[in-house]
Amino acid sequence: MNGGDGDRDRAQLVLLAAAVAAAALVPMALAYLTLGAHPDVAATAERDTPGEDALRALDRAATNASTAVDRTPWSERERTVAAFDAAIATDVRGIETARLSETVAVDVTRNATAASTWTGANCPRGPNRAFGDCEAIDGVVVQERAGEATLLAVGFDVRVTEPEGSSELTVVLGTW
């Protein structure tokens, strides 16, 4: 074996090592870009306000809670509302405390007036409808459908307090 063959083998080994290192960097670069750590991503992404974040989380929580509630007879509609309250309670506490480390406080309360107003304006009714009455109970709108209480909507007041100030939002979420 002469000296030229050793240099060539060493050069090939160096090239192979460089190729392996480059291949290992590709997943890291993709993860970096996917997580939004690239300067271009930060420049174009709009920041949601804490209130928008809270409303989006509350909508998701209400939808999940409504699917967890079993149907009850219309005569036991208060039990449907109580089951909804139990199903959403943990998520509401999570929403209220999610951004405390960022000095953002969220307070979520039920709004019975907004739910009643929604009921008067949006409850499905009229000729050719097989649905019964709607009723707002403690801010939760239920309707009699086939003799059972069906959740339709829920009214909330959301107060968000952050260093820049505070805002109050009223929303009625539904129909599930």
Side-chain angles (χ1 to χ4, degrees), residues 54-68 84 87-95 154 156 173 176:
L55 290 179
R56 192 171 27 260
L58 195 55
D59 186 37
R60 196 168 40 249
T63 299
N64 291 341
S66 70
T67 60
F84 175 79
I88 198 170
T90 301
D91 287 338
V92 168
R93 280 191 299 276
I95 292 166
V154 60
F156 289 108
L173 303 172
W176 301 296

Side-chain angles (χ1 to χ4, degrees), residues 71 74 118-119 122-135 141-152 175-176:
R71 301 272 179 149
W74 177 246
W118 185 95
T119 299
N122 299 292
C123 186
R125 64 168 81 45
N128 303 322
R129 288 274 186 189
F131 304 143
D133 293 332
C134 282
E135 185 176 339
V141 179
V142 292
Q143 184 174 35
E144 186 271 318
R145 294 185 178 182
E148 297 178 333
T150 302
L151 292 164
L152 292 186
T175 302
W176 301 296

Side-chain angles (χ1 to χ4, degrees), residues 23 70 83 98 102 113 133:
D70 293 329
E102 301 171 39
T113 304
D133 293 332

Side-chain angles (χ1 to χ4, degrees), residues 57 96 98 110 113 132:
E96 290 177 328
R110 199 69 58 73
T113 304

